Amino acid sequence: MRARPALAPWGQLVRFAAVGGINTLTFYACYLPLRRTLPYFAAYTGAFALSMLGSFLLNTYFTYRTRPTWKKFLLFPLTQVTNYAAQSVGLVALVSWGGLNTAVAPLAAALLALPFTFLVSRRILRPPARTAQPPLRSGGRV
């Protein structure tokens, strides 16, 4: 029988949200100056790439309280691809269809992408749960 995955502890969710806030501020601090010289989507992409390393380190050390490894580092872009895809769709939809200002739209898109990013990053960065091995049966001869 397959064990159900454990729900995320509340502390982990709060830490993830705090790291997301820090990462969003870092992203936004890069995005606004880039937006002055680049088209909004190019500025968005550049700022997103610049904030990725900090996000990896904060999420491994602070959110999931685990050590960064090369394997996690190499898999971490999957969390960012998920985040990038969800935010990109949200960004274009909010700007093109919703008429939202390009200075505000990335923040709204980030909020919409949060659940997807949490699930993927937790799967990659959280140490694997240790499952109890069933006891060996004794009494039989081999």
Side-chain angles (χ1 to χ4, degrees):
M1 190 154 104
R2 236 173 115 183
R4 291 178 56 193
L7 295 176
W10 283 107
Q12 207 172 68
L13 289 167
V14 170
R15 290 189 305 269
F16 183 80
V19 168
I22 292 167
N23 193 47
T24 300
L25 290 174
T26 302
F27 160 81
Y28 208 54
C30 295
Y31 173 73
L32 289 177
L34 289 173
R35 189 175 70 94
R36 292 184 187 147
T37 58
L38 298 172
Y40 80 92
F41 198 78
Y44 166 78
T45 302
F48 194 93
L50 291 171
S51 66
M52 192 183 322
L53 180 60
S55 178
F56 170 74
L57 293 172
L58 286 171
N59 274 304
T60 53
Y61 283 120
F62 181 67
T63 302
Y64 302 110
R65 298 186 177 172
T66 186
R67 298 178 78 183
T69 64
W70 283 108
K71 179 181 178 182
K72 290 175 188 174
F73 181 73
L74 294 173
L75 289 173
F76 187 71
L78 294 176
T79 69
Q80 298 304 299
V81 166
T82 301
N83 192 18
Y84 184 78
Q87 284 191 35
S88 296
V89 168
L91 176 67
V92 172
L94 290 168
V95 170
S96 298
W97 300 328
L100 200 59
N101 182 297
T102 60
V104 177
L107 298 175
L111 287 174
L112 294 173
L114 191 63
F116 304 106
T117 307
F118 176 76
L119 292 173
V120 174
S121 69
R122 186 168 188 257
R123 175 76 180 189
I124 289 173
L125 298 178
R126 186 184 67 170
R130 296 180 185 199
T131 57
Q133 297 292 329
L136 296 175
R137 293 184 184 171
S138 59
R141 292 191 174 165
V142 194

